[in-house]
Amino acid sequence: MERPEFKKIKDYDEFCKYYWYREELIKICKELGLKADGSKIELNNVIKAYFSGDMILPEKRKSNRSKSLVKDLTLDTGLIECGFTFGNRFRDFYAEQTGVRPFKFNVDMVASAKAVKENGDESFTLGDLLDIYYGKRTYAKYDKSMLQWNKFLQDFCADESTGVFDERLKAAAALWKIVRESDKPKKYSHELFEKYKDEVFARKCSSNGVYPLSIAEGFQEGKTFYSGDLKTALFWHYCGFAYLSGSVGDLFLEKIYQDYYVKTLDRRFVLITDNSKVIDYFSYKDEVVIDRRIEYRFGNLLQRAPECRYKVEPISAFNYDRIHGNIIPAFSWSDKEQFLKNGFGFVALDGDKVIAVAFSAAVSSHEVDIGVETDENYRHQGLAKVVADRMCREIISQGKKPVWAHAIANEGSKYTALGVGFVEDKVNMVIKRKMEVKVGRPLHHCTAFEAS
């Protein structure tokens, strides 16, 4: 992909499509009169702010007139006191101390000197910096991951196959995160891209992450389809929810319409999206209706777990088959064995009867979407809140984030979500067939997770 001149780039998203060296970012910032020092991440943030209309200007330098009075350098001279730089004066000083010529500052010396200045640590001396050179002490360690990331990004952008991503920087960052969270070598390769391509697309899905990732990471069943140009991924979860990620074109949208809305399917297909182009495209199609879906982010756990006069216990092999209703584990999981291996949940019991359930409707390495249903004969007793709260506590104990969403008309689900600590975040659009035909596996209504 040929890179245009910076002045011809219209916005930050377009800027992120291309690879930039640190020296190029410095030059751009200087030409714009912006702050032009720091790491690549810091320089990128300066340019991001520029495209948003904010100007991050260079910091005014304090006068070094008083510091220049320190003529004779000794090991007891303060680093800040003498106005330390990595110039020839201090290079010569350390050459005299070590007998090494030409003297070169190592990366930990660079990191420590920078940290000393940022901290305003006037007690730190030139002798302390020499101790760091010899490895006798530690002040600040150089972040070698930045070098690894820069090389990773460069190699990612050099691979023509990654051109399927309109935002290469974001795609590279998603793959880098996968690599850093694993024990894999921190190096890019085409084989790495092919192995984790589904997961990269899933992580870039703006409308939802947990459902696409549950498929890409292998926690739950589902299918992934790609457009002909490989720029769009379609994730179709076992429960019927579908999500798009990438640059969506009309040809692929028409194929989706013909294959999943016009034709009769053996399970439901409900497309959930925040992409305005997708929404506009389907707004004129006869076979679909469009509804709204509220997405939540989690705030804080309740100070005290809600009380319950019924027994509450984890879902297990002993009670799984007693769970009945629409929004239950069988809604999202292909079988009991898969659920008990990768999922979890809680039931409220009246004797042996399951009267309420909260479970992991979708699971990824970072998030868990909660499904809730209460027996109609036991509603309005707060049971949904009880089991949903138990789910939130369990999810957080696993180091993950609870996720909640529901059709906009589902007031019961709304009150339960707010009642256990969720906060409304955004609205997605739900695109579904006007008539869902029951063929094979029952096709559940797409109103999300019902609550008491």
Side-chain angles (χ1 to χ4, degrees):
M1 184 184 298
E2 185 176 350
R3 193 180 73 184
E5 296 179 19
F6 177 80
K7 62 183 180 181
K8 294 182 180 180
I9 294 177
K10 298 178 181 178
D11 52 40
Y12 184 68
D13 287 341
E14 184 181 356
F15 172 81
C16 290
K17 293 179 182 179
Y18 309 102
Y19 181 83
W20 304 87
Y21 291 97
R22 181 173 179 273
E23 292 73 18
E24 293 175 309
L25 299 178
I26 291 173
K27 182 180 178 182
I28 291 169
C29 289
K30 285 182 176 179
E31 290 176 350
L32 296 172
L34 304 175
K35 184 176 182 293
D37 56 1
S39 66
K40 282 191 68 175
I41 292 177
E42 292 170 323
L43 293 166
N44 266 302
N45 287 335
V46 170
I47 293 173
K48 182 178 182 180
Y50 166 77
F51 280 113
S52 300
D54 296 328
M55 305 289 282
I56 300 179
L57 302 176
E59 297 177 1
K60 293 183 178 180
R61 295 184 178 272
K62 296 181 180 179
S63 173
N64 287 328
R65 187 174 302 169
S66 61
K67 296 174 183 176
S68 64
L69 297 177
V70 181
K71 295 181 179 180
D72 297 324
L73 301 178
T74 71
L75 293 177
D76 294 325
T77 304
L79 201 77
I80 292 178
E81 176 189 4
C82 64
F84 174 83
T85 68
F86 295 102
N88 289 333
R89 182 189 183 200
F90 294 94
R91 196 183 303 276
D92 291 342
F93 171 79
Y94 283 109
E96 290 291 335
Q97 302 299 320
T98 62
V100 176
R101 295 182 185 277
F103 179 83
K104 295 182 180 180
F105 297 98
N106 64 37
V107 291
D108 287 338
M109 294 176 78
V110 174
S112 296
K114 181 179 179 182
V116 167
K117 292 178 181 180
E118 290 176 348
N119 297 335
D121 187 351
E122 296 185 357
S123 68
F124 193 92
T125 67
L126 296 179
D128 293 329
L129 196 61
L130 184 63
D131 286 343
I132 288 174
Y133 175 78
Y134 284 122
K136 294 180 179 180
R137 66 169 293 181
T138 299
Y139 190 91
K141 300 293 287 183
Y142 182 74
D143 184 5
K144 296 180 181 178
S145 65
M146 284 302 300
L147 289 177
Q148 292 176 323
W149 158 246
N150 289 338
K151 179 68 167 100
F152 186 92
L153 179 59
Q154 182 179 355
D155 292 343
F156 180 92
C157 293
D159 185 349
E160 293 183 0
S161 299
T162 64
V164 298
F165 298 108
D166 284 345
E167 298 176 325
R168 269 183 167 178
L169 180 60
K170 291 183 179 179
L175 183 56
W176 174 251
K177 187 175 182 181
I178 295 169
V179 170
R180 289 197 66 180
E181 291 170 353
S182 69
D183 56 358
K184 303 292 183 184
K186 307 301 185 285
K187 295 181 180 180
Y188 176 79
S189 67
H190 179 72
E191 292 73 24
L192 188 75
F193 167 72
E194 289 295 338
K195 181 177 181 179
Y196 291 106
K197 181 173 64 174
D198 289 1
E199 194 169 335
V200 171
F201 270 99
R203 287 179 183 245
K204 290 176 75 271
C205 183
S206 60
S207 55
N208 187 283
V210 61
Y211 279 90
L213 276 171
S214 70
I215 301 169
E217 293 180 328
F219 288 103
Q220 290 172 273
E221 286 194 17
K223 295 182 179 180
T224 304
F225 304 94
Y226 282 91
S227 58
D229 57 8
L230 302 179
K231 289 190 173 185
T232 317
L234 172 66
F235 297 93
W236 188 16
H237 193 270
Y238 178 81
C239 75
F241 291 164
Y243 296 88
L244 286 165
S245 178
S247 177
V248 185
D250 288 351
L251 287 176
F252 193 49
L253 291 177
E254 181 61 26
K255 179 172 176 58
I256 290 173
Y257 176 67
Q258 295 294 333
D259 289 350
Y260 300 107
Y261 290 105
V262 175
K263 294 179 181 179
T264 300
L265 305 174
D266 61 353
R267 64 187 177 105
R268 70 177 190 156
F269 182 89
V270 178
L271 184 61
I272 300 172
T273 184
D274 60 355
N275 188 312
S276 58
K277 180 177 181 179
V278 177
I279 297 166
D280 289 343
Y281 188 88
F282 283 103
S283 295
Y284 301 98
K285 296 297 184 180
D286 294 333
E287 298 296 327
V288 304
V289 292
I290 299 179
D291 198 1
R292 288 178 294 169
R293 175 178 169 89
I294 307 296
E295 305 277 345
Y296 293 80
R297 58 179 173 80
F298 192 73
N300 297 297
L301 284 170
L302 303 178
Q303 290 186 350
R304 294 180 59 186
E307 296 183 358
C308 182
R309 65 188 184 93
Y310 296 101
K311 180 181 179 181
V312 178
E313 65 182 25
I315 297 176
S316 67
F318 301 103
N319 58 36
Y320 181 93
D321 294 324
R322 286 184 273 142
I323 303 172
H324 300 287
N326 288 321
I327 311 303
I328 60 175
F331 170 80
S332 293
W333 299 83
S334 59
D335 54 48
K336 178 167 64 175
E337 288 69 27
Q338 185 191 53
F339 174 80
L340 294 176
K341 178 183 178 182
N342 296 326
F344 57 95
F346 296 90
V347 291
L349 300 166
D350 184 1
D352 291 333
K353 182 179 181 180
V354 174
I355 57 176
V357 59
F359 67 99
S360 52
V363 173
S364 76
S365 56
H366 298 90
E367 296 178 321
V368 177
D369 188 50
I370 302 174
V372 175
E373 181 158 295
T374 304
D375 186 296
E376 61 181 8
N377 296 315
Y378 290 84
R379 292 180 179 175
H380 310 297
Q381 298 183 43
L383 289 173
K385 184 176 179 180
V386 169
V387 290
D389 177 77
R390 288 288 294 271
M391 277 295 294
C392 291
R393 294 177 189 276
E394 175 61 27
I395 293 166
I396 291 172
S397 74
Q398 295 181 14
K400 299 183 180 183
K401 294 181 181 179
V403 175
W404 192 286
H406 62 77
I408 196 167
N410 196 335
E411 290 293 313
S413 187
K414 172 183 176 179
Y415 293 131
T416 301
L418 298 176
V420 297
F422 285 94
V423 179
E424 288 190 25
D425 185 33
K426 62 182 179 180
V427 177
N428 283 331
M429 306 308 287
V430 178
I431 304 170
K432 57 183 179 178
R433 295 181 64 181
K434 287 182 179 178
M435 298 294 292
E436 289 185 338
V437 181
K438 293 186 178 182
V439 178
R441 179 174 174 266
L443 302 176
H444 301 297
H445 191 271
C446 80
T447 297
F449 305 122
E450 299 186 17
S452 62

